[in-house]
């Protein structure tokens, strides 16, 4: 077994990198095909969720495999290899098995103990089966991971330690209130009809929202989800609308959840501002965040500064929104979060032409603008950089937004709109960092360790089986040849005596081989046991081609994916 995993997750990379590296279904398929075409890989599977991207492969060379898989991830994610490399992690053989089993149990999730990852692992397995990129190793690995995850949830209280990302997100939106009290009577808009969106819709219905409106690019899927919700017995009204009705529905919604596979924004800040404008009776604009005077250093009033050309974006302030004398270097990235490239360039030009007395630290400011410009080049928009979510009084929120997509569906700039509350993957990661760990986590870790040892032993034992079969085949050939020689020397030997001699010789050979073959299988299950197969081949001078032929025959006799999915509930699509 030479299992290798190369990936990145919310634990190793910032959300901005995960967002850019996100792979849609087509990109995942192409990555699998290209990985299999690469020389070091014989099997491949991709596990891609909202907070992780991992490429699993059976490789024959470790260093070459790491280099190839890292390069392929960079090529298909669109993030340069040099930029991506610092965020990548690598696990090999037993450590790779341990990692996937931990992921399946929810130990590596953003919300520890969440069970949704099991469905995502099942989807990853099904995709690799459909594309014929998963062989015996990855099929065994992913199916065992599913069993380990189910065992952890059934034998421990890990479910109490965690919850789904949907539930956790809704709790963040609800603030101090219980989700049921917060959601009661609200109108909800759910954008998307995939597994995450369906879970969000069902959770909202159970929480007591009055209405759930489902919007999806494929209207039939939206209708099916709405029908399921309406028949769920919760009393929630459910209906489906096409995607072009999202803007209209946003003006009525109290809460909106979005999780689509779109590569661009589904809800812009302008669309959200328009959605809440009618409720306030006044136009709502998206502007730079206001900085209270207490948060900015005081600066002496300078008459010369009064005559300076004002910042075209109003970031220099007039003493009301921002104190006079506060420049870009004081307000920092928060002042330009959400700007597009053209606007940033306009502001940068104003900063470059500013007199020295208006700028606190020109050198530092130039470095900041350079870094932001690089971010704009990559993403098209300056990333939002806000503090972690704080509990707010929900009564002041006109529209609560939950963005569970990666890359994001909702423009991060909406947090600057009065009356709008946004919770997204980034804020959930910050909020979950301090989440308490349950006592059951240690029990789950023990289960994972036991299962890793059992899986490794089974794989090592399976590795030696072709050698044992080849040895017994050679012994059977020896017996057959000797009986043939006996027939040549004693052609008149009665059939009864001949059969008794044949049976006796076979019993002798079987007894001689029984103890060593049983023992070698036991030893093969231990660490380093693969060497016993080599010893058998050497001691008995077994033909390597015969051993390889047995291995090929085993693979040919494996059940097809379709048949296996009918007999094993852990194989195939969910």
């Amino acid at each position: 077994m030479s299992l290798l995993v190369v990936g990145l997750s919310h634990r190793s990379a910032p959300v901005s990198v995960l967002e850019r590296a996100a792979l849609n279904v087509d990109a995942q398929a192409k990555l699998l095909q290209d990985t299999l075409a690469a020389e070091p890989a014989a099997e491949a599977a991709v596990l891609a969720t909202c907070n992780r991207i991992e490429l699993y492969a059976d490789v024959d060379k470790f260093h070459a495999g790491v280099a190839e898989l890292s390069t392929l991830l960079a090529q298909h994610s669109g993030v340069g290899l040099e930029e991506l490399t610092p965020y990548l992690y690598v696990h090999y053989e037993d450590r790779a098995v341990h990692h996937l089993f931990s992921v399946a149990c929810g130990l590596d999730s953003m919300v520890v103990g969440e069970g949704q990852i099991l469905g995502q692992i099942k989807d990853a397995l099904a995709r690799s089966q459909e594309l014929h990129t998963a062989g015996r190793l990855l099929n065994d690995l992913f199916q065992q991971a599913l069993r380990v995850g189910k065992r952890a949830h059934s034998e421990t209280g890990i479910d109490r330690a965690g919850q789904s990302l949907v539930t956790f997100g809704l709790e963040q939106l609800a603030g101090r209130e219980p989700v049921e009290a917060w959601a009661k009577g609200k109108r909800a808009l759910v954008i998307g009809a995939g597994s995450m969106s369906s879970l969000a819709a069902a959770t909202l219905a159970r929480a007591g929202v009055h209405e759930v409106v489902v919007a999806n690019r494929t209207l039939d899927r939206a209708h099916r989800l709405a029908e399921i919700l309406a028949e769920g017995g919760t009393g929630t009204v459910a209906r489906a609308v096409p995607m072009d009705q999202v803007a209209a529905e946003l003006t009525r919604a109290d809460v909106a959840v979005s999780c689509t596979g779109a590569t661009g924004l589904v809800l812009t800040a302008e669309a959200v501002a328009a959605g809440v404008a009618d409720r306030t009776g006044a136009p709502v604009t998206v502007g730079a965040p206001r900085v209270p005077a207490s948060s900015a250093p005081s600066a002496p009033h300078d008459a010369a500064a009064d005559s300076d050309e004002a910042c075209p974006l109003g970031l220099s302030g007039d003493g009301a929104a921002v104190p006079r004398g506060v420049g870009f270097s004081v307000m920092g990235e928060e002042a330009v979060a959400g700007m597009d490239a053209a606007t940033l360039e306009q502001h940068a030009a104003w900063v470059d032409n500013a007199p020295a007395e208006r700028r606190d630290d020109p050198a530092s400011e130039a470095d900041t603008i350079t870094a932001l410009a690089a971010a704009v080049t990559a993403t098209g928009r300056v990333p939002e950089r806000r503090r972690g979510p704080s509990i707010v009084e929900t009564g002041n929120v006109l529209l609560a937004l939950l963005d569970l997509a990666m890359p994001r569906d909702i423009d991060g700039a909406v947090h600057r709109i009065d009356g709008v509350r946004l919770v997204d993957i980034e804020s959930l990661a910050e909020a979950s960092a301090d989440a308490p760990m349950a006592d059951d986590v240690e029990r789950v870790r023990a289960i994972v360790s036991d299962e890793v040892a059992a899986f490794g032993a089974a794989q090592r034992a399976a590795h030696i089986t072709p050698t044992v079969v080849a040895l017994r085949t050679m012994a059977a050939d020896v017996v057959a040849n000797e009986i043939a020689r006996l027939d040549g020397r004693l052609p008149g030997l009665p059939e009864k005596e001949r059969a008794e001699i044949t049976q006796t010789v076979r019993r002798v050979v079987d007894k001689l081989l029984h103890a060593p073959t049983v023992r070698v299988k036991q030893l093969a299950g231990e660490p380093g046991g693969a060497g016993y197969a080599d010893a058998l081949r050497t001691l008995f001078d077994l033909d390597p081609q015969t051993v390889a032929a047995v291995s090929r025959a085993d693979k040919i006799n494996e059940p097809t994916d379709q048949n296996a999915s009918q007999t094993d509930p852990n194989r195939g699509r969910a």
Side-chain angles (χ1 to χ4, degrees):
M1 177 182 66
S2 298
L3 177 66
L4 175 67
V5 55
V6 177
L8 66 161
S9 73
H10 65 100
R11 295 186 183 276
S12 69
V15 173
S16 58
V17 174
L18 284 171
E19 185 177 33
R20 290 166 52 203
L23 301 172
N24 59 31
V25 175
D26 292 339
Q28 292 176 42
K30 188 67 167 62
L31 174 59
L32 285 174
Q33 293 166 347
D34 288 354
T35 302
L36 211 62
E39 183 177 344
E43 304 179 30
V46 172
L47 178 58
T49 72
C50 60
N51 52 32
R52 78 176 60 250
I53 304 165
E54 296 177 344
L55 178 56
Y56 291 78
D58 181 10
V59 299
D60 56 4
K61 298 175 182 177
F62 172 74
H63 293 290
V66 171
E68 189 66 38
L69 267 57
S70 301
T71 301
L72 288 168
L73 274 176
Q75 289 175 349
H76 288 272
S77 68
V79 180
L81 182 59
E82 290 186 2
E83 182 181 358
L84 191 65
T85 298
Y87 304 113
L88 294 177
Y89 48 78
V90 174
H91 298 298
Y92 190 54
E93 294 190 331
D94 285 352
R95 291 301 308 170
V97 177
H98 189 281
H99 175 73
L100 180 59
F101 287 4
S102 297
V103 169
C105 294
L107 293 180
D108 197 59
S109 296
M110 184 180 295
V111 181
V112 175
E114 60 94 8
Q116 190 176 359
I117 186 65
L118 287 174
Q120 295 163 331
I121 291 175
K122 182 179 287 188
D123 288 343
L125 173 60
R127 186 175 301 109
S128 60
Q129 288 175 342
E130 290 172 359
L131 296 173
H132 306 290
T133 62
R136 170 176 288 178
L137 173 59
L138 293 185
N139 271 298
D140 290 349
L141 175 69
F142 274 70
Q143 290 185 50
Q144 186 67 16
L146 291 170
R147 287 190 284 269
V148 173
K150 291 176 182 177
R151 180 188 169 193
H153 284 281
S154 63
E155 295 183 11
T156 74
I158 190 67
D159 290 332
R160 294 193 300 268
Q163 53 202 317
S164 73
L165 212 56
V166 170
T167 304
F168 189 55
L170 292 177
E171 286 185 353
Q172 296 302 303
L173 287 178
R176 294 187 176 91
E177 290 187 273
V179 172
E180 291 75 12
W182 169 81
K184 188 174 179 59
K186 281 184 167 57
R187 292 188 177 93
L189 170 62
V190 176
I191 305 174
S195 58
M196 187 80 82
S197 298
S198 299
L199 178 60
T203 303
L204 286 166
R206 288 194 300 270
V209 296
H210 170 68
E211 180 185 47
V212 175
V213 178
V214 182
N216 193 57
R217 297 189 187 282
T218 305
L219 191 56
D220 287 344
R221 293 191 65 182
H223 278 302
R224 285 198 297 272
L225 178 54
E227 290 173 359
I228 293 172
L229 294 172
E231 297 170 358
T234 60
T236 299
V237 177
R239 57 189 176 89
V241 298
M243 286 294 288
D244 58 12
Q245 294 297 311
V246 165
E249 294 297 336
L250 202 61
T251 63
R252 303 174 63 252
D254 302 302
V255 55
V257 180
S258 186
C259 186
T260 72
T263 55
L265 294 175
V266 175
L267 290 180
T268 64
E270 292 74 16
V272 173
V276 298
D278 293 339
R279 310 179 198 190
T280 62
V284 179
T285 59
V286 184
R290 296 184 176 183
V291 180
S294 60
S295 66
S298 59
H301 183 74
D302 189 337
D306 287 345
S307 62
D308 290 339
E309 180 184 358
C311 170
L313 307 175
L315 298 183
S316 60
D318 58 3
V322 181
R324 165 61 76 185
V326 174
F328 174 77
S329 61
V330 173
M331 296 187 66
E333 295 180 17
E334 291 183 0
V336 295
M339 287 184 186
D340 58 24
T343 308
L344 178 64
E345 289 175 2
Q346 182 185 17
H347 178 61
W350 177 80
V351 171
D352 288 341
N353 295 324
E357 63 267 18
R358 197 177 67 200
R359 302 195 298 178
D360 298 320
D361 185 354
S364 174
E365 194 161 299
D367 292 341
T368 304
I369 291 179
T370 300
L372 289 169
V376 170
T377 302
T379 65
R381 181 179 290 274
V382 178
E384 293 291 323
R385 296 188 183 278
R386 55 192 183 282
R387 297 183 183 276
S390 59
I391 295 179
V392 298
E393 296 295 337
T394 55
N396 298 328
V397 176
L398 299 175
L399 178 60
L401 301 172
L402 178 57
D403 186 357
L404 298 173
M406 184 63 69
R408 70 185 68 194
D409 279 347
I410 302 175
D411 191 343
V414 302
H415 83 282
R416 293 191 267 117
I417 303 174
D418 289 339
V420 174
R421 177 88 194 281
L422 171 66
V423 170
D424 56 13
I425 294 296
E426 185 174 9
S427 58
L428 287 176
E430 295 169 355
S432 65
D434 298 325
M437 297 284 284
D439 293 338
D440 295 276
V441 168
E442 289 304 320
R443 294 177 57 196
V444 174
R445 287 174 175 162
I447 289 175
V448 168
S449 296
D450 291 344
E451 292 285 355
V452 169
F455 183 83
Q459 290 296 312
R460 288 187 289 270
H463 177 73
I464 204 170
T465 297
T467 301
V468 172
V469 172
L471 174 60
R472 289 191 170 275
T473 300
M474 183 194 73
D477 291 341
V478 170
V479 170
N481 290 335
E482 290 303 317
I483 295 300
R485 287 183 59 193
L486 180 65
D487 289 341
R489 291 183 177 183
L490 301 173
L493 186 67
E495 184 62 28
K496 183 178 180 180
E497 284 77 1
R498 180 184 181 279
E500 184 62 32
I501 293 172
T502 301
Q503 189 64 24
T504 299
V505 174
R506 286 176 177 168
R507 281 198 298 268
V508 170
V509 171
D510 285 342
K511 288 182 178 181
L512 288 173
L513 292 180
H514 176 73
T517 54
V518 170
R519 184 60 179 149
V520 79
K521 286 183 178 181
Q522 294 173 342
L523 293 171
E526 300 176 359
Y532 289 101
D534 297 331
L536 273 183
R537 287 193 292 269
T538 301
L539 289 172
F540 289 93
D541 195 24
L542 298 177
D543 184 358
Q545 293 184 353
T546 302
V547 177
V550 174
S551 299
R552 288 194 298 271
D554 286 344
K555 291 183 179 180
I556 293 173
N557 292 328
E558 286 181 356
T560 63
D561 293 342
Q562 181 178 1
N563 292 336
S565 63
Q566 294 172 353
T567 58
D568 189 337
N570 289 331
R571 292 189 71 160
R573 289 207 176 276

